[in-house]
Amino acid sequence: MAGGRILVVEDRDSLRRMLERALADEGYEVESAAAAEGGIRLLGERPYDLVLTDLKLPDASGLAVLAASRAARPAVPVVVLTGYGTVGAAVEAMKLGAYDFLEKPVEIDDLAGLIARAIGEQRGEPGGDGSASGADQVFAPPGGPAIVGRHPRTRAAIRLLERVAPTESTVLLTGESGTGKELFARALHALSGRRAGPFIAVNCAAIPESLMENELFGHEKGAFTGADRRQPGRFELAEGGTLLLDEIGELSLAVQSKVLRVLEERTFERVGSGRTQRADVRLVAATNRELKAMAEAGSFRADLYFRLEVFPIELPALRERASDIPSIARHLLAGIARRLRREPPRLTEEAAALLAAEPWPGNVRELGNVLERAVILAEGPALGAADVRPLLRPLAGASERERVRQALIAADGDKQGAAKALGWSYRTLLKKVREHDLGGVPRYRE
């Protein structure tokens, strides 16, 4: 096999045969199926280097093929083909572990490049993911911030970001506090056609409700007591660029209606003005709340929710991508050291494993705080487990099971390694594994 073995699952005979010929010409060995059942059967019979499946199949969704591939060999990349206007289904596929998606009609050059990159990343080839095997993977668009991580959930979020950035579509970033929503918004701006314009971020939770309309839309001189001059709002300041409304779930219903008007009509008025202004801005919203549930409960406008959810990107919590934590920690340490004007300390394998075993309810923000304290207190050129362990949350209560689970994941099922990372004896770890019903370690690997 020159390039590897590919499974194609596509029900249209003409397209399936075209894909077979084109990929064979690229040096791949190609096998195919016309339905989900046949594709799933082939997945159980032999290994593949990549799976290419249509999402709409006659007997089942292509998500069933994706699930079967992930269950059989989680590391094998799956690329899904979607029809026009089915971005929502493609986003769902990415959430479930698909490597990427392509809309039909398929451009063979685009598909060949995507497949080569996917297989290269899976094999750890230099140039596949921009790094040698085992190196930290950093996604850093020109002029934008660095996003660190190799985990499939991280890569899926980055792939979606790359797809939507060049468009003018509204983007909704969701995830827990501290997962990097503003980081992704800045990267999206850097990849967009508005990169030369301003990037303006507004934390809606930090501004009193009585001042929010004025903050977003500005005011005219004399609009209220103390308004001695005209003041532009954030929509005007973001002219020609990108406006991030962070924690948009905190907006009052009255202000939500004005934001909705901007999205629908691209117009607004300053407070105290009857003159309508055009809003030349791309809106990105972010939240750690369940906007859909809020809309159903009446505390968030349903029409605004549907306008915002044109292209949602969910950012995973650290505990859902524990394998990324050592890479993120090294990246944070370099920045902390620069800020403190110190040499960046080396993170030992034991300390990295200990960090990866933490649940991190505060996510990257909490991890960064712990590392900064560790750098300040460290006395040597390396950060070891002894430097990190005293700064972590006490092992107690409901979090203990999660920490044991994360330690097993980080150690790839090696109980000796997990015990060392937690600072326990091997016997203590075995006891905790039994207590928390974590005996089937392979089930908990990422």
Side-chain angles (χ1 to χ4, degrees), residues 46 58 74 115 162 182 197 262 287 302 310 319 332 357 400 419:
R46 58 184 66 90
I115 287 175
E162 290 179 296
E182 182 170 338
V262 176
T287 183
V310 173
R319 64 182 173 276
L332 292 174
E400 183 178 77

Side-chain angles (χ1 to χ4, degrees), residues 5 12 18 29 70 72 83 96 168 171-172 217 241 246-247 255 264 311 317 361 392 432:
R5 181 186 288 126
R12 271 181 51 200
M18 184 270 286
E29 179 182 323
R70 296 283 294 162
L96 295 174
E168 285 289 302
V171 175
L172 178 63
F217 304 106
D246 198 5
E247 303 303 346
V255 176
E264 290 182 335
F311 200 95
L392 302 178
K432 297 296 183 181

Side-chain angles (χ1 to χ4, degrees), residues 26-195:
E26 294 289 331
Y28 299 105
E29 179 182 323
V30 184
E31 297 180 348
S32 67
E37 182 182 3
I40 292 170
R41 176 178 54 77
L42 288 172
L43 283 168
E45 293 177 355
R46 58 184 66 90
Y48 294 93
D49 295 285
L50 182 134
V51 177
L52 177 65
T53 180
D54 193 356
L55 272 184
K56 190 174 181 180
L57 295 166
D59 57 340
S61 166
L63 296 180
V65 179
L66 169 62
S69 179
R70 296 283 294 162
R73 295 175 180 83
V76 172
V78 179
V79 175
V80 297
L81 301 177
T82 70
Y84 177 76
T86 57
V87 171
V91 170
E92 183 62 24
M94 296 287 282
K95 288 181 182 179
L96 295 174
Y99 177 85
D100 208 338
F101 69 93
L102 282 177
E103 285 188 307
K104 297 178 181 178
V106 178
E107 293 290 339
I108 291 301
D109 288 345
D110 293 340
L111 177 61
L114 177 60
I115 287 175
R117 186 172 73 242
I119 292 178
E121 286 187 21
Q122 194 273 332
R123 293 174 176 171
E125 296 172 354
D129 63 0
S131 65
S133 178
D136 295 341
Q137 183 171 340
V138 179
F139 172 75
I147 299 173
V148 180
R150 306 174 62 91
H151 190 275
R153 291 286 303 278
T154 308
R155 293 207 309 261
I158 292 172
R159 296 273 183 262
L160 292 172
L161 178 75
E162 290 179 296
R163 287 303 191 91
V164 75
T167 74
E168 285 289 302
S169 294
T170 301
V171 175
L172 178 63
L173 300 170
T174 63
E176 296 179 6
S177 178
T179 49
K181 293 186 287 294
E182 182 170 338
L183 196 72
F184 267 75
R186 290 184 180 276
L188 184 148
H189 175 71
L191 289 168
S192 75
R194 294 176 174 267
R195 66 182 69 88

Side-chain angles (χ1 to χ4, degrees), residues 10-40:
E10 166 60 51
D11 61 315
R12 271 181 51 200
D13 291 342
S14 59
L15 178 56
R16 188 174 66 254
R17 287 194 295 269
M18 184 270 286
L19 291 171
E20 289 173 349
R21 289 194 301 269
L23 294 176
D25 289 344
E26 294 289 331
Y28 299 105
E29 179 182 323
V30 184
E31 297 180 348
S32 67
E37 182 182 3
I40 292 170

Side-chain angles (χ1 to χ4, degrees), residues 196-237:
F199 175 87
I200 303 293
V202 182
N203 185 343
C204 300
I207 300 171
E209 181 180 333
S210 58
L211 300 178
M212 182 58 72
E213 182 179 357
N214 179 63
E215 188 73 24
L216 293 181
F217 304 106
H219 64 257
E220 293 287 347
K221 180 179 179 180
F224 49 82
T225 303
D228 55 356
R229 63 184 183 276
R230 174 186 290 174
Q231 177 177 307
R234 301 298 182 95
F235 274 96
E236 284 183 80
L237 294 175

